[in-house]
Amino acid sequence: MSMPPTGPEAQGPGVPPPGQPYGQPSDTPPAYSGAPAPGYGQQPAGYGQPPLSDSDRRLWAMLGHLSGIILGFIGPIIVWAIYKDRDEFVKDQSTEALNFQITLLIAYVVSAILMLVFIGFITYFLVWIASIVFAIMGGLAANKGERYRYPFALRLVK
């Protein structure tokens, strides 16, 4: 037969040390880690990030235009989502490229429908050539630091 525990192990959680009544503050302060509570003091996305250098902003604006050749509207939307709050030039050029790629997507769908009457094969090829030529022109202008506007694009994203 064992004896019941005595001393500190006999006390359960929340039981004050012997000689101290309930509700009285103890001599030891509560543990403080120095870190803010989760969600407290956090800054909005993009805030406090270093600004882009001139070469970086020209690079990302150029990639916003040229990524549309391979990735369609996905490339410009990735650049836009990452850099829209960090640099106005990159935001402007990636928005322009995104609007152009959305316009091309609509043209590709119309061309696919027109393939039933065979004219769609020609329009599909012309849209493909225009997408490459204008994306390269946009990429070259952005690499020089110039704002480029596509000759035809629906301005759906502002």
Side-chain angles (χ1 to χ4, degrees):
M1 177 149 68
S2 69
M3 301 281 287
T6 59
E9 63 272 0
Q11 298 175 353
V15 177
Q20 183 177 347
Y22 284 106
Q24 294 292 324
S26 68
D27 293 337
T28 59
Y32 177 67
S33 67
Y40 179 76
Q42 294 179 351
Q43 299 171 346
Y47 184 77
Q49 295 178 348
L52 295 175
S53 68
D54 186 52
S55 62
D56 283 346
R57 57 196 300 255
R58 289 185 288 124
L59 170 76
W60 285 108
M62 180 185 68
L63 289 177
H65 288 286
L66 296 180
S67 64
I69 294 173
I70 304 295
L71 301 173
F73 69 92
I74 301 296
I77 204 166
I78 290 172
V79 174
W80 178 81
I82 293 173
Y83 291 103
K84 67 180 173 151
D85 296 330
R86 288 186 63 187
D87 190 84
E88 189 60 37
F89 178 69
V90 177
K91 177 183 178 183
D92 175 62
Q93 292 303 291
S94 60
T95 302
E96 183 70 16
L98 177 60
N99 283 327
F100 181 64
Q101 292 300 323
I102 292 171
T103 304
L104 289 175
L105 179 65
I106 294 169
Y108 283 133
V109 170
V110 169
S111 295
I113 293 170
L114 289 175
M115 284 181 186
L116 297 174
V117 291
F118 297 106
I119 189 77
F121 293 104
I122 297 170
T123 59
Y124 194 91
F125 178 73
L126 292 175
V127 170
W128 178 69
I129 293 296
S131 70
I132 293 172
V133 169
F134 289 130
I136 290 173
M137 290 173 61
L140 290 174
N143 194 33
K144 293 177 191 173
E146 301 169 359
R147 294 182 188 270
Y148 182 76
R149 295 288 174 250
Y150 289 97
F152 60 93
L154 300 173
R155 308 281 188 242
L156 300 174
V157 180
K158 302 287 181 199

